[in-house]
């Protein structure tokens, strides 16, 4: 048989790499999804929330009348929470889609929260994603980060996951960890520690979501529709009224959570997280000297990373969109 040319060999290598990556992804997920009614209830929006025909997901709509959202039936004392989400396309300035955990309805002044916030944009510009970590009402000490994505989140659904344990928090996009927060004495009460519900919402964030409110929601392009499926709730359920001895009762469930594959930060995962953050992170609270003149004690300041950011915490090097689009078309 004739020897393969370098170009052919590279093509074969890329194809095999993609097949291997896809198989690894399927094995790595290994998640048990549940039906919408088994895990969630309608929160707001009336007919703007529509369950999917198979009963395992929902469509959230924002129009002139209202946004919409749903909430988990239970609170959870730590857990892994995940959904595949397809974002609204076309002009989406001012639109906010959120997948998050919170206990603000129970602890109004000392609430905890972990967020994926998807911030819409004008036509031709990318959606941005923000992650937030708030503990014990620490919204004035917001631990926020923002990112672009290596794919078009409006073309097809991608999985977004939040792991919250007693030791650390990991945000995932598909199988790639993009952020890890390790509990430390330096964080004090800012580490989320009380049982939380899981939410998904779409709403009008015109006052701040796009260019600090410069671009508003234009309802000429409504309805704005977000599709959520492959819902995962894995953790220790806590009665929202009787939260007695939840820590003791949930100890075994938390141990199982810590032993799961998605809770293990292997060297390969850390390398993937580092690459993602180097390429796509556009803002970090750790480098925002304007908002926080005194750096957070739990920040791990990396000089080579710090040099990429202005004092505002914004990146000095906007992503090359053309190159990113070429990459997104690869298998």
């Amino acid at each position: 048989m004739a020897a393969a040319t370098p170009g052919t060999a590279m093509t074969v290598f890329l194809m095999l790499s993609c097949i291997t990556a896809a198989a690894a992804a399927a094995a790595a997920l290994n998640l048990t999804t549940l039906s919408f009614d088994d895990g969630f209830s309608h929160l707001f929006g009336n007919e703007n929330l529509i369950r999917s025909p198979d009963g395992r997901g929902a469509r959230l709509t924002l129009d002139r009348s209202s946004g919409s959202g749903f909430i988990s039936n239970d609170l959870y004392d730590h857990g892994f929470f995940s959904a595949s989400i397809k974002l609204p396309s076309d002009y989406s300035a001012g639109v906010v889609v959120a997948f998050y955990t919170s206990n603000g309805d129970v602890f109004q002044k000392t609430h905890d929260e972990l967020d994926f916030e998807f911030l819409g944009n004008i036509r031709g510009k990318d959606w941005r994603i923000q992650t937030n970590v708030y503990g014990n009402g620490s919204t004035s000490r917001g631990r926020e980060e923002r990112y672009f994505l290596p794919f078009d989140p409006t073309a097809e659904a991608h999985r977004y996951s939040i792991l919250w344990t007693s030791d650390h928090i990991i945000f995932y996009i598909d199988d790639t960890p993009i952020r890890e927060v390790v509990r430390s004495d330096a964080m004090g009460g800012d580490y989320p520690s009380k049982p939380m519900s899981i939410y998904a919402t779409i709403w009008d964030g015109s006052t701040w979501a796009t260019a600090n409110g410069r671009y508003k929601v234009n309802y000429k392009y409504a309805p704005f529709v977000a599709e959520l499926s492959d819902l995962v709730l894995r953790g220790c359920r806590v009665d929202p009224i009787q939260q007695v001895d939840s820590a003791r009762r949930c100890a075994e469930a938390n141990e199982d959570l810590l032993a799961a594959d998605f809770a293990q930060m292997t060297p390969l995962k850390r390398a993937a997280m580092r690459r993602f953050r180097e390429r796509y992170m556009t803002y970090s609270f750790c480098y925002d000297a304007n908002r926080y003149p005194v750096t957070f004690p739990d920040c791990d300041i990396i000089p080579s990373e710090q040099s990429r950011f202005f004092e505002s915490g914004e990146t000095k090097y906007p992503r090359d969109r053309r190159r990113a689009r070429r990459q997104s078309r690869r298998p």
Side-chain angles (χ1 to χ4, degrees):
M1 185 173 69
T5 64
T8 302
M10 179 57 70
T11 301
V12 172
F13 172 77
L14 289 173
M15 291 176 63
L16 291 175
S17 297
C18 292
I19 293 171
T20 302
L29 285 176
N30 193 26
L31 302 173
T32 301
T33 63
L34 74 167
S35 71
F36 182 89
D37 289 337
D38 283 343
F40 297 93
S41 299
H42 179 273
L43 180 62
F44 73 100
N46 298 321
E47 64 274 9
N48 279 1
L49 186 154
I50 301 176
R51 290 169 175 78
S52 59
D54 63 3
R56 305 194 69 80
R59 297 179 66 189
L60 298 180
T61 298
L62 167 67
D63 58 23
R64 290 184 185 276
S65 66
S66 176
S68 53
F70 58 81
I71 182 174
S72 62
N73 296 331
D74 299 287
L75 282 83
Y76 287 81
D77 181 3
H78 304 106
F80 182 86
F81 317 111
S82 181
S84 293
I85 304 174
K86 183 175 181 289
L87 297 174
S89 58
D90 202 7
Y91 186 97
S92 57
V95 177
V96 178
V97 177
F99 179 70
Y100 63 105
T101 71
S102 177
N103 47 34
D105 56 339
V106 181
F107 305 98
Q108 296 182 4
K109 295 184 178 180
T110 59
H111 87 286
D112 305 300
E113 190 170 325
L114 299 170
D115 301 292
F116 266 117
E117 289 182 329
F118 307 90
L119 310 179
N121 218 326
I122 60 176
R123 183 185 287 113
K125 300 294 184 179
D126 292 326
W127 278 77
R128 292 160 300 144
I129 292 184
Q130 179 165 313
T131 60
N132 306 321
V133 176
Y134 305 128
N136 200 33
S138 62
T139 52
S140 63
R141 302 182 300 280
R143 289 169 167 81
E144 298 106 351
E145 292 184 351
R146 286 193 295 272
Y147 327 87
F148 285 128
L149 292 171
F151 52 78
D152 180 357
T154 72
E156 59 184 0
H158 286 265
R159 179 172 292 281
Y160 304 90
S161 308
I162 301 171
L163 170 71
W164 169 47
T165 77
S166 56
D167 295 335
H168 65 166
I169 297 159
I170 303 175
F171 292 88
Y172 279 93
I173 297 179
D174 292 325
D175 289 331
T176 301
I178 66 166
R179 180 180 184 183
E180 180 185 26
V181 178
V182 178
R183 187 171 195 166
S184 66
D185 292 339
M187 286 190 72
D190 288 358
Y191 190 90
S193 59
K194 300 182 290 294
M196 291 191 276
S197 300
I198 294 79
Y199 297 79
T201 58
I202 185 170
W203 50 282
D204 187 328
S206 290
T207 58
W208 67 276
T210 306
N212 294 320
R214 179 180 177 187
Y215 300 101
K216 317 293 185 183
V217 173
N218 188 337
Y219 286 101
K220 179 178 72 174
Y221 299 99
F224 304 97
V225 178
E227 300 176 6
L228 291 92
S229 59
D230 301 329
L231 303 170
V232 175
L233 296 175
R234 177 172 171 179
C236 183
R237 297 178 180 180
V238 177
D239 188 296
I241 298 176
Q242 298 179 348
Q243 301 178 34
V244 179
D245 295 331
S246 62
R248 177 181 58 80
R249 188 171 52 79
C250 292
E252 184 176 345
N254 288 334
E255 288 298 321
D256 290 342
L257 197 67
L258 288 168
D261 289 342
F262 48 69
Q264 309 304 313
M265 284 296 284
T266 64
L268 285 176
K269 283 185 179 180
R270 291 196 182 282
M273 182 172 70
R274 184 175 63 252
R275 287 195 299 270
F276 181 93
R277 294 171 67 83
E278 288 174 351
R279 296 175 184 177
Y280 303 112
M281 187 166 70
T282 64
Y283 171 84
S284 172
F285 73 100
C286 282
Y287 302 125
D288 189 346
N290 292 341
R291 187 179 176 192
Y292 305 115
V294 178
T295 304
F296 284 54
D298 50 294
C299 281
D300 184 13
I301 301 298
I302 303 172
S304 60
E305 184 175 271
Q306 185 179 30
S307 66
R308 295 170 35 230
F309 294 88
F310 293 111
E311 289 191 352
S312 63
E314 301 284 346
T315 183
K316 297 178 181 178
Y317 308 104
R319 182 170 62 136
D320 184 334
R321 290 176 51 78
R322 290 174 299 174
R323 181 171 181 269
R325 284 180 176 176
R326 287 197 299 271
Q327 288 178 334
S328 69
R329 293 193 183 103
R330 293 177 183 174

